[in-house]
Amino acid sequence: MGASDISKLPHIGEAVRRKEDYRFLTGAGQYTDDITHANQSYAVFVRSPHAHATIKSIDTAAAKAMPGVVAVFTGADIDGKMGGLPCGWLITSTDGTPMKEPPHPILAIGKARYVGDAVAMVVADSLQQAKDAAEAVGVDYDVLPAVIDMREAAKGPALHDAAPDNHCYKWAIGDKAQVDAVFAKAAHVTKLDLTNNRLVPNAMEPRAAIGSYNRATEEYTLYVANQNPHVERLLMTAFVLGLPEHKVRVIAPDVGGGFGSKIFLYAEDVALTWAAKQTNRSIKWTCERSESFLTDAHGRDHISHAEMAMDANGKFLAMRVHTDANMGAYLSTFSTAVPTILYATLLAGQYTCPQIYVEVDAWFTNTTPVDAYRGAGRPEATYLLERLVSRCGWEMGLGQDEIRKRNFISSWPYQTPVALQYDVGDYLGAMNKANENADVAGFAQRRAASEAKGLLRGIGYSSYIEACGIAPSNIAGALGARAGLFECGEVRVHPTGSVTVFTGSHSHGQGHETTFAQVVAARLGIAVDAVDVVHGDTGRVPFGMGTYGSRSISVGGAAIMRALDKIETKAKKIAAHLMEASDADVEFANGEFTVKGTDKKVTFGQVALTAYVPHNYPLDKLEPGLNETAFYDPTNFTFPAGTYICEVEIDPATGKVRVDRFSAVDDFGTIINPMIVEGQVHGGIVQGIGQALLENCVYDKETGQLLTGSFMDYAMPRADDFPTFNIDTICTPCTHNPLGTKGCGEAGAIGSPPAVINAVLDALRPLGVKEFDMPASPGRVWEAIQAAKA
C-alpha cells in the first residue's frame, strides 16, 4: 500500500483527540519519580564547584558515618572497573586522523572539567540523609585556569591530555578550490559573522533514574527519563559496564519532554545501575532544577563566518562557511554529529547553489557538554543560511521573498553539493501561501501605523528545510555512526480483533499512542480505540532506536506498516480458507476480506478469532496466531520544508521587541493527525522565538561559573510573549516511505529564529543597525540602537 492509498483511508488526516491525554490530565501518568521500590535508597551527587580543577583528595569518612548512609562512591571506586561514557558518532578530521576522544569517566577521576562535574555519589535511606551526607564529603581541589570562550581554546589550558590544544577535530565538506574560484569571479559577495547562542533545554520533567538489581536472576533494571531506552541499554552494556545485554532492562515510562536532552547516556544512569548491585538496593535519583541547568546537555553554541557569491541578478553561485563549534568539557553521545553531518549537509537549504564549502572546528571548553537540542544542527544551519540570504537580498536591493524565489529549487529529485538528495518539494508553493496568509501586501500600511505610534516595525522571512529520519544505516555508519538507525514495529492481533502495537519509538509528548493507533486502525479497518501502543521498555519491545530527529512516524510508523503488510498477507490466507477461495483472489479493505467477483466476505474480527481458534484449520500450511514483527531502515532522509514570516514591533525607547504576527506554512507530506501536527509546530515556534528573543546561556569567562543557572537569570518564553500563530500546510508526500510522511516535531524550532531576527533587522536597518545576533532582548536591542546613533 502506497502513500497515496494511505491518505485516503479512514482515520488518516483526522484530528483524533490524543488517547494519552486522559491519564495525564487526571494525574494518572507515571513518571520515573512517581515509582517507588521496596528497599529503595536515594542518591545525591557531589558536584564540582569549579570549572577546572585537579582533585587532590576526597574525604568520605564523615559522610559514611552519618545516619542512614548506605555507601559513598568516588572515581577511585569505579576506576578500572568500567569504561567511560562513549561518543556515538566518530568524526574524521580533514587530515585523515580520528577526532580526539578523551575519556569521560562516570565520576571524575583526578580532575573536574566543568561546574557540575560529578565527583562523588552518596547513597542513603532517605533523600534528606543523602543531601546531608553529600555536604559532609570533603574535596580538596587545586583550582586551574578555565577556558570558556572557544575562540581562546587553542591557547588556553588543556582540559584533556588527549587534546593538548583543546581541538577535537577539523571537518570539511565540499571542494574549497572550486568554491574559491567561483568567488574570485563573482559579481557580488555578501559576508556575515554570526553567533548561535547556547541554550539550556529545560524539559518540564527533570532527568530521573532508578537503578535496581535482582541477585536471584543477576538482572539489572534501570527506570529512566529517556528518549531511546534500547540505545541507552546498548551503550551502557557494550561500552561502559561490559554486561550481557539480556541481563539489563531499561524502562522509560512517561517522560515529561525531552527535546533531545534525554537522548543521551548520562553518567548518573550508569552510576545508579552499577551501585544497585554494590548495595543490593534500588537507588533513585531525581535531578533538581539547578542540577539540570548545570548537567543536562546544552544546545547550539556556534560562531560562524559565512559568505555568498552571486551574479549581478542575485543568483547564488557559491557559498563558503567556517564554523567553530563548542563541544563542552566532554563528548556527549551524538555531539560530534550535530555541527557536521546534521549541520553542514543542510546548508544548501531550498536553493540551487552549485558550489558549497563548509569547514568546522570543534573545541573542548570548561563548560557543560553540548549535544542535540530540538533540531540538532538543522536550526544552526537554517539560522546561518536564512540570515545570509536575507542579507543578500538587502545588499542586492531585492525583497526577502524575491531573493529566495530567484534561487528556489524547482525540480526533483535534486542533488545538493553537500551530499543530500532531496526527493520532492514545492518551495515556491509554500512561499506563495505564506505570503498570502501573512497578508504581506498589507505590511506597508501596518508599518505606517506602527510609526504613527513611535514604534518600529519589521518583517522577516525564513525558508527552511530539514533532514529527518537520519538514514540509511549503512550510509550513517560510513559517516561515523556507531549504531544502526532503523526502527522496529510489532503488531499483535488478539483473538477478539483488538491490537497491541510494540514500537521502538518513544513518546514523550508527541502523541504516538494516538497517531500510531490511527495508522493501524486505518489499515485494518478497526476503531482507533481498539489499538493500544506499547513503547519505552526493552523487556517488552523487540528493539528500537528511540525518538529524535522527527523520525517517529516516518521510520517507526513505516516499520509498523511493514508489520501490517505481513499481518494482511497471513490474514488473507486465513480468510481464503474460511471462504474456500485462493488467497490470490482475496481482497482486503475497510476491515473486510472479499473474494473477487463474488459476494463472499468475512470480517477482520472473524479472521482474528480463527487465527487463535484454529478448528478445521490447515495447520500443515498455516501456523496459529496473528502476530508479526518488522524492521525498517530508510533509504534516504525525509525533507520537511516550509516558509515562515514574522512581523515584529520594537519600542526604540526601551528596545522591547514584540512579535505581532507569525505565519508558518510547512510541507510535512502526509499528515496523520492535523491537531497533533499543529501542536508540534506551535511548540517548536515558541522554542525558536524563545531563543531569538529571550534565552541565552552565559558563563563567567574567568571562573567558568554558570551565570544563568536558574529561571531568575535564564529567561524562558511565556504565553503572553506570543501572538496567535497562523499555521498552514501544503503536501508533497515523501516518495520513499509507505506513509508519505516527513516529520514535524522540530520544524517550528528550525524555521522561526531567523524569521524573528530578520524581522528585527528589517525594523532596525533604517536606523543604521546592520547586524544583530540572538537573543534580541530589550537591553541588547537598545544598545544596538544607541550604537547606531553614535
Side-chain angles (χ1 to χ4, degrees), residues 564-583:
L564 288 167
D565 290 340
K566 295 180 180 181
I567 291 286
E568 183 176 323
T569 298
K570 184 174 181 179
K572 281 182 176 180
K573 293 179 180 180
I574 299 172
H577 165 70
L578 291 174
M579 294 185 289
E580 299 180 336
S582 167
D583 60 290

Side-chain angles (χ1 to χ4, degrees), residues 394-411:
W394 289 327
E395 291 187 2
M396 297 296 290
L398 299 173
Q400 293 182 67
D401 55 347
E402 179 61 27
I403 188 70
R404 288 169 168 81
K405 289 178 181 179
R406 290 191 183 188
N407 290 282
F408 275 156
I409 297 164
S410 58
S411 62

Side-chain angles (χ1 to χ4, degrees), residues 36-113:
T36 300
H37 290 177
N39 198 32
Q40 177 177 285
S41 299
Y42 296 82
V44 168
F45 288 87
V46 178
R47 301 189 181 277
S48 171
H50 306 293
H52 200 194
T54 300
I55 300 172
K56 298 172 68 176
S57 65
I58 303 177
D59 185 355
T60 62
K64 288 178 177 178
M66 294 184 71
V69 172
V70 176
V72 180
F73 300 104
T74 69
D77 296 308
I78 56 103
D79 193 12
K81 298 177 182 176
M82 64 181 73
L85 296 181
C87 179
W89 207 293
L90 176 66
I91 296 297
T92 301
S93 287
T94 52
D95 62 2
T97 60
M99 67 186 190
K100 305 296 193 309
E101 191 175 2
H104 186 174
I106 305 307
L107 296 171
I109 298 173
K111 205 181 204 188
R113 294 178 171 86

